[in-house]
Amino acid sequence: IITIEREYGSGGRIVGRKLAEDLGIHFYDDEILKLTSEKSAIGEEYFRLADEKAGNNLLHRIVGRKLDFTEEPVLSGNVTAPENLFRFQSSVIRELAREESCIIVGRAAGYVLDQEELERLIRIFVCADKVRRVQRVMEVDAIDEERAKRRIKKMEKSRREYYKYFTGSEWHNMKNYDLTINTTNLDLDQTAELVKD
């Protein structure tokens, strides 16, 4: 099981997809939202709206306590609360990891699975310097430099807050990962090969 957290524009998702193809295993990114929606019978749009965004519990944000995602999600009342949606999603992530070898991108999957005591769990963080990330975002999203910088800033803030809110830990704390890869001077195929090796 490989989990990948990634800075926006670092190419982490592309590396994960390439690695999954090379290893002949499933790749899960947005697919997690669809699977969670099907399992929970909650509309996929609720999971998309909450995807990698922190919840709105102010006390939880300030104190930075980790969420007990091992609790069962509630099936009545406020089923679309961010914490409940995270529990549903965590349940699907754990189920996938028990059933098959796979690569899961984002959604604090490494943290969720770290508690499962899986023998074959590798948690990866993909990063790159800001100049390279801006270039990649401009190329992939076909936008100008200023919009690319704003998008990176917004996405980084969202991912950082999401990780902190649900795990109580810092997203950029490299102790949360087994392998950190800087893609500034590597192309994404080289990066996938490096991870595979």
Side-chain angles (χ1 to χ4, degrees):
I1 310 300
I2 299 173
T3 64
I4 300 176
E5 292 293 332
R6 71 281 181 229
E7 291 181 328
Y8 193 73
S10 66
R13 181 169 17 116
I14 298 167
V15 168
R17 191 174 296 281
K18 171 77 174 135
L19 191 56
E21 288 172 11
D22 290 352
L23 296 173
I25 60 178
H26 284 113
F27 172 83
Y28 296 102
D29 184 10
D30 288 345
E31 297 84 356
I32 295 283
L33 306 177
K34 184 176 189 308
L35 292 169
T36 306
S37 173
E38 290 170 358
K39 182 179 174 99
S40 66
I42 296 173
E44 189 175 337
E45 65 274 9
Y46 289 104
F47 291 100
R48 291 207 176 276
L49 288 171
D51 191 31
E52 293 193 305
K53 293 182 183 77
N56 51 14
N57 182 323
L58 185 61
L59 180 63
H60 194 86
R61 278 180 180 259
I62 292 169
V63 176
R65 291 177 294 140
K66 67 180 179 179
L67 174 71
D68 184 1
F69 56 84
T70 58
E71 288 180 15
E72 288 298 313
V74 297
L75 301 171
S76 61
N78 193 2
V79 295
T80 60
E83 296 80 9
N84 202 49
L85 296 176
F86 185 81
R87 285 187 181 103
F88 274 120
Q89 191 169 267
S90 296
S91 173
V92 168
I93 288 169
R94 289 193 306 271
E95 192 174 302
L96 288 170
R98 284 187 216 114
E99 291 176 357
E100 62 177 309
S101 294
C102 60
I103 296 176
I104 302 171
V105 174
R107 293 157 192 90
Y111 179 83
V112 169
L113 294 176
D114 195 40
Q115 313 302 308
E116 289 291 296
E117 299 179 11
L118 297 167
E119 289 180 17
R120 297 177 12 235
L121 173 64
I122 301 169
R123 301 162 304 157
I124 297 174
F125 190 87
V126 181
C127 60
D129 70 19
K130 189 161 185 178
V131 171
R132 186 66 183 117
R133 287 187 290 138
V134 168
Q135 290 171 343
R136 281 195 183 116
V137 171
M138 287 170 62
E139 291 167 13
V140 173
D141 296 350
I143 57 177
D144 65 35
E145 185 175 350
E146 282 311 306
R147 285 183 62 203
K149 287 178 180 176
R150 284 195 306 270
R151 188 169 291 176
I152 287 171
K153 186 176 179 180
K154 179 182 175 189
M155 293 299 293
E156 295 282 301
K157 182 176 187 275
S158 179
R159 288 177 181 172
R160 193 171 41 251
E161 289 176 355
Y162 172 86
Y163 198 90
K164 178 76 171 181
Y165 185 85
F166 289 110
T167 71
S169 184
E170 298 296 328
W171 185 54
H172 271 115
N173 182 349
M174 293 306 121
K175 290 181 181 178
N176 294 327
Y177 310 100
D178 302 305
L179 179 64
T180 302
I181 299 177
N182 185 328
T183 61
T184 301
N185 297 313
L186 296 171
D187 71 36
L188 302 181
D189 285 339
Q190 289 173 321
T191 305
E193 279 298 315
L194 179 64
V195 173
K196 193 167 65 168
D197 290 344

